[in-house]
Amino acid sequence: MKVCGTWEHIPRVYKAALLSGGLRAVLTTESFPDGQLEGTIHVNELDSQEIFSAVLHSDISKLDEETASGGITMISLEKNGDIEHAIFLVKLHNVFEKYQKQLDTIPVTITVSRTGGRQQRINIINMQIIPQQATIRFRWEAMTNQELRWLARQQLSLSVNVQGALAETFNGIIKIKQTCTAFRAALSGGDALISSSTGAGGTADFSIGDNGALLYRIHIMGMSSPVTAITIEGETIKQGQIRIVSNFVRSYSDGWAEGAFHKQNTKEVEALLSNKLFINVATERFSDGEIRGQVVGEMFQEDRSEFPFLLTGSEMEPVVRTPIAGQAWISINKLCQIHYEIILHGITGNRGNEFVAVIYADTTEQHKRNLITFNRNRAEGTAIGISKYLFQAMNNEYVILQINSKGYPAGEIRGKVTVINNCQDTYELLMQSDETNNELDEVNFSCVYERKEYEDGASWTSAFDSCVMCSCQRSMVVCDRMLCPTVTCENTVQLEGECCPSCGVVSTGEIALSLPDLAQEEVASGCFFEADQKWHAYATSWHPYIPPFGFSSCALCSCVPGKNEVSCTRSTCLTLTCSEDEQWRANPTDCCLQCRAKSTESPTISSTMTEMRGLQPADGVDTSKKQEGGCYFKKEFFSNGDDWHPKVAPFGSLNCITCRCKDGRSKCGRKKCLRPACPRRARVQEPGECCLKCVDGASLRKSSTKRLRRKKASKSAKSV
């Protein structure tokens, strides 16, 4: 059994305890709620060099007593010329501590045996261990090729016999390193040994079976000619020669190759764990390989546990001969929000790297929806407000996920996506959900960013740039680059970990110190700012991050030297002589109000609104007749104080939403609805109505009845 997870935002005190061995892990079960297994968390001394491991359990284990014992073994390989040695590190819990006051040394016998059929002892090592020794370390010198094969195929076991008063023995099967890593490869023409542009692509998944076999699943599309070989390849033997581990072409049929590879050696296992294996697909036209990809290990993620959808140029109509291929993971949550992750491979040369991901129902591009524009090889996000028809097509047949580029604006690669969902049945109800609507307390407006879920209103530092802050705003991820304050000193420095420059010298009250020296001297100090969840060095200044508005230039925060405190001050504004009705902000980001001009035209408002909304005045509109404080909405002009229902294609006029123009800004809101005092199953929405209501004769909900009773009781108590 493996338990995988991520511990995020670890406090400093726990980080220090983790590195010093001061934290313990406890596994609880229903039978042992206080813990059935536990042990100290140690830093892996072998780290990435670990290739094999064994969990050791006692043959006289008493899990409900304090004397229960167990251990773990980590194994790495060391090569000296053509000879390989194995390095063993054995850690036992609650074993040697029992003998600290009894024995100076403890006899230990370690036996390596072959499992399966008749047990065969391969290697026996006798050692003397002092009770204070935390780790048993030994070498298996000059392993034979046969022994290395047994090791790689999980056919060896380890036994540790402690010859003390209790005479305990610990046993375990030596297996390939136990990890939550998933091994995947993306195949493209751009990554082939000789780059090809045929529109072909592929994807592959690998895992390690319980018996040590390498399980593989490979999917390829759009090959230019019949497939002749699907090889898994290792390191380069000589110049121009690559070691072929195995050919999976016999298991290939109709675009798929699936099976298990049982003949691995330690070379293949080591190459797999260190990302040194490749998949190469050769065809009659491309004998050296038409598409190729590297097998890369990545931590297991729940939202990427399924096989990815494949995006290729061969799926375009007509076929696009491109070296690029892509992988996509698509999921739909209970709120009918689509989470997508797209990774592109085979991008070659100096071509422009701006891409647009779009999704539509079929080849006629009905109900087309742009998902995201991105300029790297990957994109991730959440889409809301998807057409009901798209959900229905995704459930019954498929939708098209397409990647457009500068070179191919009509589409470079695409693929078919099918995700089972019931959103076509719940679409109407979910479209009504708003902060004033009936179902608000049951709607989750969380965001997914870099495979992590954040609650609505949460903020965090971007995974790609520590100087960018992001926030979740009703299922939409909004990111802003840090706004740096103006530095007036002559000598500025850029401290490591800081996004903005600071003055080079700071006074601490007694002497002047160089800021880099001060920050290094007080490395454990500084100030922690809750808003951006960051530590800031002494005497540094920054504009605070205030979601959903972003970085505020109207406030300045500083880390006060010697106090470990953050001090924030607002900008000082001039006193205005005009009335409150004449005060306004020319730009929403302005810190201070100003008096409104007396003219009948307001080009500042017009330019500001045009910049904010990205809209231009509609053709035929005479802007000279524009009244002060008017608004442009969807290229239509409204006077100050006007109300209207917005028109949104393809739904037409949204009569349940009302927009209003006030002082040059348009604001839209949904009609406020009271929550019906009946169970959800008894609620209906009449045609043309905006709010749900209870069907005739529906009984009150229990929660509503209780609230009414509490209100009556409260009134009675007050009257008394």
Side-chain angles (χ1 to χ4, degrees), residues 73-239:
T73 300
M74 298 165 285
I75 306 170
S76 65
L77 296 177
E78 184 179 276
K79 194 168 185 179
N80 185 7
D82 295 332
I83 301 175
E84 282 200 81
H85 316 285
I87 312 298
F88 286 70
L89 268 68
V90 182
K91 288 182 177 291
L92 296 178
H93 169 63
N94 199 21
V95 177
F96 300 137
E97 295 87 344
K98 307 171 187 177
Y99 304 100
Q100 287 186 5
K101 296 181 180 180
Q102 303 174 15
L103 301 173
D104 294 332
T105 59
I106 306 169
V108 174
T109 300
I110 299 176
T111 305
V112 180
S113 305
R114 186 188 176 192
T115 60
R118 182 179 177 182
Q119 193 174 35
Q120 178 183 357
R121 294 185 177 183
I122 306 299
N123 195 2
I124 300 176
I125 300 174
N126 294 306
M127 307 176 67
Q128 293 289 329
I129 304 298
I130 60 175
Q132 294 80 14
Q133 188 170 338
T135 303
I136 303 175
R137 181 188 295 264
F138 67 94
R139 288 166 60 97
W140 183 351
E141 300 281 356
M143 296 182 68
T144 66
N145 290 335
Q146 181 63 67
E147 291 168 344
L148 290 170
R149 283 192 292 270
W150 288 337
L151 180 64
R153 299 171 191 180
Q154 299 186 173
Q155 297 176 359
L156 296 179
S157 65
L158 183 71
S159 174
V160 180
N161 178 249
V162 181
Q163 301 171 22
L166 297 178
E168 292 181 271
T169 301
F170 303 88
N171 302 291
I173 302 297
I174 299 177
K175 296 186 176 183
I176 298 173
K177 179 181 178 180
Q178 298 297 290
T179 175
C180 295
T181 301
F183 301 96
R184 295 190 174 98
L187 315 179
S188 67
D191 292 323
L193 293 175
I194 302 176
S195 181
S196 67
S197 298
T198 63
T203 184
D205 271 15
F206 295 86
S207 61
I208 299 171
D210 293 337
N211 60 353
L214 182 63
L215 310 179
Y216 63 88
R217 187 183 183 198
I218 305 170
H219 180 40
I220 57 178
M221 294 175 58
M223 310 308 292
S224 63
S225 56
V227 174
T228 58
I230 303 176
T231 54
I232 182 169
E233 301 175 350
E235 73 281 4
T236 302
I237 303 175
K238 299 178 181 179
Q239 187 175 4

Side-chain angles (χ1 to χ4, degrees), residues 617-626 632 635-637:
D619 295 338
V621 173
D622 186 359
T623 57
S624 64
K625 297 181 180 181
K626 175 187 171 186
Y632 279 107
K635 297 186 179 181
E636 188 174 354
F637 177 75

Side-chain angles (χ1 to χ4, degrees), residues 223-359:
M223 310 308 292
S224 63
S225 56
V227 174
T228 58
I230 303 176
T231 54
I232 182 169
E233 301 175 350
E235 73 281 4
T236 302
I237 303 175
K238 299 178 181 179
Q239 187 175 4
Q241 296 184 7
I242 298 176
R243 188 172 71 90
I244 305 299
V245 176
S246 183
N247 191 342
F248 300 149
V249 73
R250 290 186 178 180
S251 62
Y252 174 73
S253 176
D254 196 23
W256 291 86
E258 298 183 63
F261 178 59
H262 297 273
K263 298 181 179 180
Q264 74 273 15
N265 208 327
T266 52
K267 291 181 180 179
E268 288 79 57
V269 176
E270 191 172 5
L272 176 68
L273 297 178
S274 58
N275 300 337
K276 294 180 181 179
L277 287 183
F278 295 82
I279 294 294
N280 192 68
V281 181
T283 60
E284 291 182 355
R285 183 181 172 191
F286 295 89
S287 58
D288 291 329
E290 184 169 343
I291 56 176
R292 180 182 173 88
Q294 183 179 9
V295 182
V296 178
E298 57 185 32
M299 181 61 72
F300 172 81
Q301 300 148 17
E302 185 64 31
D303 56 350
R304 290 181 59 176
S305 58
E306 299 294 331
F307 206 72
F309 297 102
L310 184 56
L311 312 177
T312 66
S314 62
E315 288 292 287
M316 296 296 302
E317 296 179 3
V319 173
V320 175
R321 307 296 180 184
T322 174
I324 293 179
Q327 296 173 308
W329 287 265
I330 306 291
S331 61
I332 302 175
N333 63 18
K334 62 182 179 181
L335 298 176
C336 295
Q337 300 168 339
I338 295 181
H339 175 247
Y340 56 87
E341 183 177 2
I342 304 167
I343 303 179
L344 306 182
H345 299 271
I347 302 175
T348 59
N350 297 322
R351 54 168 290 166
N353 290 341
E354 183 173 311
F355 304 97
V356 179
V358 299
I359 189 170

